Amino acid sequence: MLAAGALDQDITYLKGIGPTKAQLLKDNLGISTYGDFLFFFPSKYLDRSRFWTIAEVEEGMPFVQLKGKIHQPEIIGDGKKRRLRVAFSDGTGTIELVWFQYINSILKNLKPGEQYVVFGRPAFYRFSFNIAHPEIELLSLAKPEKVEGFIQPVYAIPEKLKSRGIDNQVLIRALEQVLPLAAKSLSETLPDSVVQAWKFPPRYEALRSMHRPASFKDAEIAKRRFKFEELFFFQYNLVRQNKLAKKIDNGVMFANIGEHFNHFYHNLLPFELTNAQKRVLKEIRSDVRQGKQMNRLVQGDVGSGKTVVALLTMLMAIDNGYQACLMAPTEILARQHFLGISELLKDSPINIAFLSGSTKQRERKQLLADLESGQLNILIGTHALIEPQVKFKALGLAVIDEQHRFGVEQRAKLWEKSTPPPHILVMTATPIPRTLALSLYGHLDQSLIDELPPGRKPIKTIMMSQDEQARLFYFIRQQIKEGRQIYMVYPLIEESEKSDMKDLYAGFEAVAAAFPVPEFHVSIVHGKLKADEKEQEMKRFVDGHTQIMVSTTVIEVGVNVPNASVMVIENAERFGLSQLHQLRGRVGRGADQSYCILVHGEKLGNDARRRLRTMVETQDGFKIAEVDFELRGPGDLDGTAQSGFAQLSVANLMTDQDLLIKARNLVLEWMDNEDRFQQEIQFVDRIIAKHGSAKNSFRNIS
């Protein structure tokens, strides 16, 4: 926290910056004030505490720091091959310094025969060592720490900025001007009890150690403090939000388990619930009878039975005189929910309807009238549910499937459909590592369906190269002879000049040629088809009229064909792990042995090979998610950018999991013992009230 205006000045006025560089820094790094500079932390540190001699330089060294004299500067070549070459010696040997840019300005400032400090990466070329574009400074003008040795911060600067003259030294010189201003202006943002218990340095001391560490240990201690601070404020907001919501006594109460629930559970449910499903239902039941709004996330792997849990919760709402709705991100998924739930309720008097952007006007008019009058019990659909004209008589439960695919404002509009607000049940079949779940859904109570229905056979997953097509087609033919159906998924719809991936239509032609009518029938589905065409093709496959469905990833979720036993994924190396896992989940839904065949190109990178090997080795969605998280990081996992997920500035959810858990546990302890920690809570609330929520920007609490 800074004194008003102390570090709010525009960076244009810093020595060495000016208007042009200021605009570049703002556009590319988000640095526009002195304070922004303070919290733009180094990405790493270099040990410049030692000076090497030229005789000690060896091939493969990451960098060296030398003291010596320069001799014989000369410009070699012309045009694009023009370069500045300088001989540099220290009495033990000579090394060549080379510059390819800014040659005239560098040459103008060089003083042959003078002592210099040189720092850079040595390269061995034509039987001698050279250093390209080294840092170079007159020994007589260098600061004492540069002569004696120091730890140098290195800032992540895009090449675009470096080419415009903004390098590491520019940022270091700017921070030398800014840091002293924070000495008296920067105050604490963590309560004293936390600073003392965790043995954190004071905030300014930590800030200085981030930019000017006396040792690597000091830098690490400072970084840990700021990581904790960022994760703490992030979790504080999420947990506080959940806690405050539970204090509001204006939620819908489902006091009774009544006729609809009991009739369905005892007479219509076609299978026994798993213990995991029963456990989650008990957690939901405990929530909805409190008279406070439920906000619960149900995670479950593909095929674990989340939809049945959602349906039983809907029946709780109906038994208590309320309506329920289910919103899914795509029409295919929404319609699949509608068809599945309609089938389960076919012998029930409950009225259920489907709404999407393609619903005909006459049908829509009647549907909306029935919804507003209360005759309609359950409405299932896409984001069409949040349109202003969609009005419920008494919405008691809103189920959101694959929430991360909706924007924050879209979700909010749904639960604004009723007063008091409806209970919220969020479902996801996209397994989420625990630390990411605590960050994406830290404001929700969380349930896990970690058990698959009995009798499911594990899906056999096989890697196969593209030159084994004959073997693949033979296997497919055998499966079809046994009465099975096949998915074949391609990553593109049309051929791309920039890609060697098989496109959908080329794949369709190859498959149709290998499996000709009338013995075989092949359908094709992709996102560019009109809704009725897509539905017709899907229906042909579902009804068994076609044996092979050639498709893009539109069948990733929402298609349930128990007779489909083979999933072939072409160019599987081009898909993310989460998507591969979702696609595999389209098979293995019947009693027969199912297969997932990952067809890959000749060249596999290390990450691609690891993704495919992970798919072969495990079917545990959470183990797969952990590998995906490790390979791609949180910002790239499906849909997180749309979820309002905070982009962390210094902490890393993959490497700092222990710190996240500790920060969250501390917040939970405070919230569970508010009287005991009243002073700490009030302190943090004042910080947030003055500087805004810290969860979306680390600099907000600077």
Side-chain angles (χ1 to χ4, degrees):
M1 189 165 53
L2 300 166
L7 293 177
D8 293 335
Q9 297 180 63
D10 193 299
I11 60 171
T12 303
Y13 306 106
L14 285 172
K15 186 178 178 181
I17 300 297
T20 302
K21 288 180 180 176
Q23 192 62 47
L24 287 168
L25 287 165
K26 181 179 180 180
D27 293 343
N28 293 275
L29 297 178
I31 298 174
S32 58
T33 68
Y34 288 13
D36 291 338
F37 258 127
L38 280 180
F39 292 94
F40 183 72
F41 290 149
S43 58
K44 63 180 179 180
Y45 300 90
L46 299 179
D47 186 356
R48 294 186 60 173
S49 59
R50 174 178 175 178
F51 283 89
W52 300 81
T53 65
I54 293 173
E56 292 174 314
V57 175
E58 296 179 354
E59 193 170 359
M61 295 176 75
F63 56 84
V64 291
Q65 184 168 235
L66 309 167
K67 289 180 185 177
K69 295 180 180 181
I70 64 168
H71 312 275
Q72 306 163 350
E74 57 179 331
I75 295 176
I76 307 295
D78 53 23
K80 291 184 178 180
K81 294 184 178 181
R82 187 169 177 260
R83 66 188 185 276
L84 172 62
R85 185 172 67 187
V86 177
F88 180 83
S89 64
D90 65 353
T92 71
T94 300
I95 196 169
E96 194 176 82
L97 310 180
V98 186
W99 286 269
F100 301 94
Q101 294 176 317
Y102 315 115
I103 291 172
N104 292 335
S105 61
I106 291 168
L107 180 61
K108 181 174 65 176
N109 292 309
L110 290 179
K111 298 181 178 180
E114 294 286 333
Q115 286 273 352
Y116 280 87
V117 175
V118 167
F119 179 80
R121 184 187 300 274
F124 192 69
Y125 180 69
R126 290 184 178 178
F127 309 107
S128 64
F129 284 100
N130 66 65
I131 302 177
H133 284 273
E135 288 183 25
I136 184 168
E137 189 171 4
L138 272 168
L139 186 63
S140 60
L141 299 178
K143 292 186 176 182
E145 66 264 22
K146 288 196 175 181
V147 178
E148 298 165 6
F150 69 109
I151 307 297
Q152 177 176 302
V154 177
Y155 299 90
I157 304 170
E159 287 299 324
K160 178 181 178 180
L161 294 190
K162 291 179 181 178
S163 68
R164 301 290 295 273
I166 301 177
D167 59 13
N168 206 57
Q169 288 304 308
V170 169
L171 265 63
I172 287 174
R173 286 192 291 269
L175 279 156
E176 285 174 350
Q177 301 170 63
V178 171
L179 267 171
L181 299 177
K184 296 181 180 179
S185 303
L186 201 70
S187 57
E188 263 303 340
T189 50
L190 294 175
D192 288 342
S193 60
V194 174
V195 174
Q196 292 170 12
W198 285 73
K199 297 180 180 177
F200 287 139
R203 201 161 193 252
Y204 173 72
E205 183 182 317
L207 195 65
R208 183 165 185 81
S209 291
M210 287 295 290
H211 296 291
R212 296 290 177 272
S215 66
F216 283 101
K217 183 178 180 181
D218 283 352
E220 190 56 39
I221 291 171
K223 192 171 186 179
R224 184 172 173 81
R225 185 228 143 95
F226 285 116
K227 284 181 176 182
F228 177 87
E229 183 173 317
E230 184 171 42
L231 294 170
F232 170 82
F233 275 94
F234 184 29
Q235 287 299 315
Y236 185 89
N237 279 278
L238 293 173
V239 174
R240 191 76 160 146
Q241 180 183 341
N242 193 357
K243 189 79 173 177
L244 290 173
K246 290 181 178 180
K247 284 185 175 182
I248 300 172
D249 295 322
N250 68 338
V252 174
M253 182 181 290
F254 298 166
N256 304 311
I257 293 292
E259 178 185 350
H260 293 298
F261 184 99
N262 285 321
H263 176 62
F264 177 80
Y265 188 86
H266 295 293
N267 303 316
L268 303 181
L269 191 60
F271 45 78
E272 175 75 15
L273 294 182
T274 64
N275 289 329
Q277 287 173 307
K278 291 176 182 177
R279 183 186 68 244
V280 172
L281 273 172
K282 286 180 181 178
E283 292 168 349
I284 291 170
R285 175 67 182 136
S286 176
D287 285 347
V288 299
R289 67 196 309 176
Q290 300 296 323
K292 299 172 183 178
Q293 187 190 34
M294 173 181 73
N295 284 279
R296 183 167 290 276
L297 165 70
V298 175
Q299 279 195 82
D301 217 335
V302 175
S304 61
K306 297 178 298 300
T307 304
V308 168
V309 169
L311 173 55
L312 285 163
T313 309
M314 291 178 183
L315 295 177
M316 292 182 201
I318 295 166
D319 277 336
N320 288 273
Y322 292 97
Q323 296 163 296
C325 69
L326 188 157
M327 185 169 73
T330 67
E331 182 160 350
I332 290 176
L333 179 53
R335 190 169 290 280
Q336 186 69 35
H337 278 306
F338 173 70
L339 294 173
I341 291 175
S342 295
E343 177 65 23
L344 289 169
L345 294 177
K346 65 182 179 181
D347 296 322
S348 167
I350 291 170
N351 294 318
I352 179 171
F354 177 81
L355 179 66
S356 74
S358 62
T359 303
K360 298 292 190 292
Q361 191 59 39
R362 182 180 297 179
E363 182 184 349
R364 178 187 294 261
K365 185 176 180 181
Q366 184 61 53
L367 182 156
L368 295 179
D370 291 345
L371 189 68
E372 194 166 3
S373 68
Q375 292 182 47
L376 191 58
N377 305 115
I378 298 174
L379 180 62
I380 296 175
T382 61
H383 58 275
L385 270 62
I386 65 175
E387 293 172 356
Q389 59 267 36
V390 178
K391 298 176 182 177
F392 295 82
K393 181 181 180 181
L395 180 62
L397 173 70
V399 180
I400 303 175
D401 196 18
E402 299 297 344
Q403 169 176 257
H404 62 275
R405 298 194 180 194
F406 292 102
V408 177
E409 292 181 3
Q410 286 180 308
R411 301 194 300 263
K413 285 179 181 178
L414 185 57
W415 49 81
E416 290 170 359
K417 293 281 184 182
S418 179
T419 303
H423 294 300
I424 305 298
L425 185 66
V426 175
M427 302 191 300
T428 180
T430 304
I432 306 169
R434 187 185 179 200
T435 49
L436 188 57
L438 290 178
S439 301
L440 281 171
Y441 302 115
H443 58 296
L444 302 175
D445 295 313
Q446 298 182 25
S447 295
L448 178 62
I449 302 179
D450 52 2
E451 184 181 358
L452 290 175
R456 290 271 179 98
K457 292 182 180 178
I459 302 166
K460 291 184 179 179
T461 304
I462 303 160
M463 290 173 62
M464 188 177 288
S465 66
Q466 288 176 337
D467 59 10
E468 297 179 273
Q469 187 181 77
R471 176 185 165 209
L472 172 63
F473 283 179
Y474 175 80
F475 175 75
I476 290 173
R477 193 170 283 109
Q478 294 302 113
Q479 287 289 303
I480 293 174
K481 284 181 179 179
E482 293 177 16
R484 308 291 168 252
Q485 290 169 278
I486 318 295
Y487 293 112
M488 297 192 73
V489 177
Y490 291 80
L492 290 182
I493 294 178
E494 298 169 350
E495 188 176 1
S496 168
E497 294 179 0
K498 296 181 180 179
S499 173
D500 61 354
M501 287 184 274
K502 287 187 177 181
D503 69 283
L504 184 70
Y505 288 116
F508 175 74
E509 290 172 5
V511 172
F515 298 90
V517 292
E519 184 180 0
F520 304 98
H521 296 278
V522 183
S523 58
I524 183 169
V525 175
H526 56 76
K528 290 187 177 181
L529 286 178
K530 293 180 180 179
D532 56 344
E533 294 175 332
K534 193 186 304 178
E535 186 175 342
Q536 184 179 355
E537 289 292 312
M538 288 280 197
K539 191 173 188 305
R540 289 178 65 210
F541 188 70
V542 170
D543 293 342
H545 298 312
T546 57
Q547 293 88 29
I548 301 173
M549 178 186 285
V550 176
S551 172
T552 57
T553 56
V554 293
I555 55 91
E556 177 184 344
V557 291
V559 178
N560 183 16
V561 183
N563 192 50
S565 64
V566 181
M567 168 63 70
V568 179
I569 306 174
E570 288 281 353
N571 286 104
E573 71 273 19
R574 303 299 178 96
F575 291 85
L577 258 175
S578 176
Q579 200 169 35
L580 289 172
H581 182 60
Q582 289 285 342
L583 288 167
R584 178 168 62 183
R586 295 305 99 206
V587 296
R589 292 172 171 253
D592 300 299
Q593 179 63 58
S594 290
Y595 303 86
C596 178
I597 301 173
L598 307 172
V599 182
H600 59 82
E602 292 182 11
K603 296 179 181 179
L604 280 181
N606 291 335
D607 285 356
R609 188 175 298 279
R610 187 177 176 197
R611 285 199 302 273
L612 300 189
R613 291 306 311 170
T614 299
M615 288 291 295
V616 171
E617 292 165 3
T618 183
Q619 294 186 43
D620 186 327
F622 291 93
K623 288 182 181 177
I624 288 169
E626 291 287 351
V627 175
D628 203 22
F629 189 39
E630 182 182 339
L631 288 173
R632 298 203 287 165
D636 291 328
L637 293 177
D638 288 348
T640 55
Q642 287 78 39
S643 70
F645 174 63
Q647 298 299 313
L648 299 175
S649 298
V650 61
N652 182 306
L653 289 179
M654 186 175 70
T655 57
D656 298 321
Q657 296 183 26
D658 63 324
L659 211 54
L660 173 69
I661 300 300
K662 288 175 180 177
R664 183 175 177 85
N665 287 341
L666 178 63
V667 175
L668 289 171
E669 183 184 6
W670 287 10
M671 296 300 125
D672 290 338
N673 301 275
E674 290 190 53
D675 291 340
R676 180 181 163 198
F677 294 101
Q678 186 177 9
Q679 187 174 347
E680 285 86 349
I681 291 171
Q682 288 176 349
F683 179 92
V684 174
D685 283 344
R686 285 197 300 271
I687 295 295
I688 293 175
K690 189 168 184 178
H691 299 280
S693 168
K695 74 174 183 176
N696 290 323
S697 172
F698 189 56
R699 298 169 189 165
N700 282 1
I701 53 169
S702 65

